């Protein structure tokens, strides 16, 4: 046996659980049995950017922290600094992450043009463009828009607010 | 002060909203487990399992009039959020042959999914029926006590979401004191049947996720006397050993007696 073989054998033996247990005197249920993954576990929100938002569901308007990384949503948790909810969320609010990411979420709208006979698929952005066009008076031009807007404006920006008002006016 | 953390679930505060169930699933990315209507009160998840690490129990029973705000002719309707108890002496931990189940630095019991080989010994060893094998995946799963969150000083997802603070998270010894205070308050209010469920008198030696319940533990589907299999099975093995010894002696006797004929 060469020196390399002996060191390899030693390495193999020392990684054997029984020998590890005898060496450390543990019963194999504690720190000695932690894997590298267990030792270095990190919450998925680590190194994420955080945006402050408001829960899109009911009119209570609980605070939410939106964790995102590389333009992807990672998690939505309650905002402990919100005076309304102090970091708590109800089951609906707790499921906000899936409201955005669920495979069953609709991301196209059905649209029938004025005097058109068939429905066509329209991207959400196009719908927003139509509903925000000041030349389009929704009722008079026979453009019917059916769309769901939250009771609360989720990110408090002006565009969202105007869209909501327009929706209500229509 | 010890680093051991725990859950204190006060079922008198639980409103059965299931925010803990949802928050747990969202955080841990646990799949949906069939959108079934069990017909058992408002319960749709049935029990804790591989895909339900928090489970809100709906307990319907008769009530003492005037207590708990129920009308005398109505059923009492109580809720309690069930979870892995993270036992002091854990049956699953002792049964695991691969070292997948470990005790963490926070005193919780953690199932390492990268080690688990799906033998399911822990499933039968758990006195509370918490661990379950995912037949699609092959491995067993249970509440992680949000180990990765705890490592970074965050509360577990369920306790973070709970709107009524029915699920309290903190240092175990502090929680015990809080529970005792709460129990005294409830008793002073006339809830004589309130009690803390923490089986320290059995071989489990206490649980890190303990409950405040009203009435008998059985009503909440909690075993009154949970026992660790490695402890209570010793008697079984002893009887087996005695039994086989008797048979061996009998067989030897039969052979010796047969030789003389």
């Amino acid at each position: 046996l060469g020196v390399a073989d002996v060191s390899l054998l030693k390495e193999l033996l020392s990684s054997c659980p029984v020998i590890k247990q005898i060496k450390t005197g543990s019963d194999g249920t504690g720190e000695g049995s932690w894997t590298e993954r267990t030792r270095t576990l990190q919450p998925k929100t680590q190194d994420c950017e955080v945006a402050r938002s408001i829960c899109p569901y009911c009119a209570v308007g609980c605070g939410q922290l939106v964790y995102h990384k590389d333009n992807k949503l990672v998690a939505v948790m309650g905002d402990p600094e919100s005076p309304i909810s102090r970091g708590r969320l109800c089951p609906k609010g707790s499921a906000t992450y899936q409201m955005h990411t669920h495979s069953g979420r609709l991301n196209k709208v059905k649209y029938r043009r004025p005097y058109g006979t068939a429905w066509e698929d329209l991207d959400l952005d196009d719908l927003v463009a139509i509903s925000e066009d000041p030349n389009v008076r929704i009722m008079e031009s026979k453009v019917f828009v059916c769309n769901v807007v939250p009771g609360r404006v989720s990110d408090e920006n002006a565009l969202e607010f105007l869209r909501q008002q327009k929706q209500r006016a229509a | 002060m010890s680093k051991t953390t725990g859950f204190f679930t006060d079922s008198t505060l639980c409103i059965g909203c299931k925010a803990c169930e949802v928050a747990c699933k969202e955080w841990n990315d646990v799949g949906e487990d069939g959108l079934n209507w069990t017909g058992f009160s408002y319960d749709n998840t049935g029990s804790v399992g591989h895909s339900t690490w928090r489970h809100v129990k709906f307990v319907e029973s008769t009530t003492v009039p005037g207590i708990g705000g129920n009308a005398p002719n109505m059923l009492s309707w109580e809720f309690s959020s069930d979870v892995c108890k993270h036992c002091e002496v854990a049956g699953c931990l002792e049964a695991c042959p691969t070292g997948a189940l470990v005790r963490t630095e926070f005193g919780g019991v953690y199932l390492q999914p990268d080690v688990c080989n799906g033998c399911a010994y822990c499933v039968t060893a758990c006195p509370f029926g918490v661990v379950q094998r995912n037949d699609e995946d092959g491995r067993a799963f249970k509440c992680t006590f949000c180990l990765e969150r705890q490592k970074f000083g965050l509360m577990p997802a369920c306790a973070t979401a709970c709107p009524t603070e029915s699920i309290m998270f903190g240092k175990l010894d502090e929680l015990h004191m809080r529970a005792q205070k709460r129990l005294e308050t409830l008793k002073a209010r006339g809830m004589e049947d309130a009690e803390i469920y923490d089986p320290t008198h059995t071989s489990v030696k206490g649980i890190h996720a303990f409950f405040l319940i009203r009435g008998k533990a059985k009503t909440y589907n909690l075993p009154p006397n949970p026992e660790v299999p490695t402890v209570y099975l010793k008697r079984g093995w002893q009887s087996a050993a005695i039994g086989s010894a008797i048979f061996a002696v009998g067989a030897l006797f039969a052979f010796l007696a047969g030789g003389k004929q």
Side-chain angles (χ1 to χ4, degrees):
Chain A
L1 281 171
V3 181
D5 293 327
V6 171
S7 66
L8 181 72
L9 201 67
K10 263 189 184 164
E11 205 183 299
L12 279 174
L13 279 174
S14 63
S15 67
C16 169
V18 178
I19 291 172
K20 251 193 203 168
Q21 281 179 33
I22 294 168
K23 261 186 172 171
T24 56
S26 72
D27 59 354
T29 58
E31 199 174 340
S33 302
W34 297 353
T35 62
E36 198 51 39
R37 183 187 165 278
T38 307
R39 270 172 227 278
T40 55
L41 269 178
Q42 278 195 19
K44 59 184 174 186
T45 47
Q46 200 67 17
D47 314 321
C48 275
E49 282 181 74
V50 187
R52 237 188 202 121
S53 183
I54 296 173
C55 178
Y57 288 102
C58 80
V60 170
C62 299
Q64 283 185 329
L65 295 176
V66 179
Y67 294 87
H68 59 99
K69 195 177 186 179
D70 305 328
N71 259 343
K72 279 229 166 122
L73 187 61
V74 176
V76 180
M77 308 288 288
D79 182 358
E81 281 173 39
S82 161
I84 293 163
S85 56
R86 292 173 296 134
R88 323 279 169 203
L89 285 176
C90 80
K92 268 161 70 194
S94 295
T96 312
Y97 170 74
Q98 277 195 33
M99 187 184 82
H100 295 284
T101 57
H102 194 269
S103 57
R105 183 189 161 94
L106 297 178
N107 43 26
K108 292 259 193 234
V109 286
K110 289 283 180 197
Y111 176 61
R112 204 180 67 182
R113 287 174 190 285
Y115 308 107
T117 54
W119 292 99
E120 51 189 295
D121 280 338
L122 209 64
D123 279 329
L124 285 176
D125 288 345
D126 296 337
L127 174 83
V128 171
I130 289 174
S131 66
E132 274 160 10
D133 186 346
N135 297 322
V136 176
R137 283 296 306 272
I138 287 178
M139 290 307 280
E140 282 168 25
S141 68
K142 296 194 175 63
V143 176
F144 292 92
V145 179
C146 176
N147 152 9
V148 182
V149 285
R152 279 269 166 157
V153 184
S154 65
D155 57 0
E156 288 188 320
N157 68 28
L159 179 86
E160 188 102 4
F161 179 71
L162 285 175
R163 193 187 305 156
Q164 195 186 40
Q165 294 308 307
K166 180 111 183 175
Q167 204 72 49
R168 284 186 179 156
Chain B
M1 189 166 267
S2 139
K3 220 182 164 189
T4 307
T5 55
F7 280 133
F8 166 40
T9 309
D10 185 346
S11 60
T12 59
L13 291 177
C14 182
I15 54 170
C17 75
K18 304 188 191 180
C20 49
E21 281 189 30
V22 178
C24 172
K25 284 199 181 229
E26 294 288 312
W27 177 263
N28 294 300
D29 209 7
V30 182
E32 64 107 343
D33 41 12
L35 303 165
N36 301 320
W37 177 243
T38 60
F40 189 78
S41 201
Y42 271 19
D43 197 345
N44 68 326
T45 35
S47 63
V48 280
H50 67 80
S51 59
T52 309
W53 297 350
R54 268 268 174 202
H55 164 237
V56 178
K57 289 185 278 200
F58 291 77
V59 184
E60 290 177 10
S61 58
T62 50
T63 187
V64 186
I67 290 178
N70 289 300
N73 56 343
M74 299 279 276
L75 289 174
S76 88
W77 202 25
E78 308 215 5
F79 319 103
S80 178
S81 183
D82 199 10
V83 69
C84 170
K85 318 294 182 294
H86 299 280
C87 311
E88 196 66 47
V89 179
C92 59
L93 190 65
E94 304 209 330
C96 182
T98 59
L101 278 152
V102 288
R103 182 75 64 185
T104 69
E105 61 266 48
F106 305 102
V109 180
Y110 180 65
L111 201 160
Q112 306 180 101
D114 47 340
V115 182
C116 179
N117 68 359
C119 73
Y121 286 8
C122 53
V123 177
T124 47
C126 176
F128 298 97
V130 167
V131 206
Q132 193 189 14
R133 210 175 77 138
N134 181 350
D135 285 336
E136 274 172 41
D137 183 277
R139 293 173 295 176
F141 291 95
K142 72 165 198 77
C143 161
T144 63
F145 220 161
C146 280
L147 179 61
E148 73 278 23
R149 288 178 67 90
Q150 286 201 50
K151 274 183 196 273
F152 284 74
L154 298 165
M155 277 209 287
C158 52
T160 311
C162 183
T164 61
E165 292 185 16
S166 164
I167 301 170
M168 280 169 267
F169 171 81
K171 296 261 185 305
L172 191 60
D173 29 15
E174 279 171 29
L175 285 180
H176 278 302
M177 288 196 293
R178 274 175 91 163
Q180 213 52 50
K181 249 187 211 159
R182 174 75 183 156
L183 186 71
E184 279 159 25
T185 314
L186 289 178
K187 294 238 160 142
R189 278 196 210 160
M191 286 193 199
E192 290 298 327
D193 54 351
E195 62 169 83
I196 289 167
Y197 178 77
D198 188 4
T200 42
H201 60 284
T202 70
S203 54
V204 166
K205 301 260 192 273
I207 48 184
H208 291 185
F210 60 102
F211 303 85
L212 196 152
I213 52 174
R214 286 185 63 196
K216 290 204 168 66
K218 267 188 196 166
T219 337
Y220 289 80
N221 219 358
L222 293 165
N225 297 303
E227 296 282 358
V228 180
T230 44
V231 175
Y232 74 75
L233 282 182
K234 264 182 196 152
R235 258 185 22 222
W237 284 107
Q238 271 167 12
S239 345
I242 293 167
S244 40
I246 290 171
F247 275 111
V249 169
L252 196 70
F253 183 73
F255 270 110
L256 291 177
K260 274 180 192 165
Q261 263 181 2

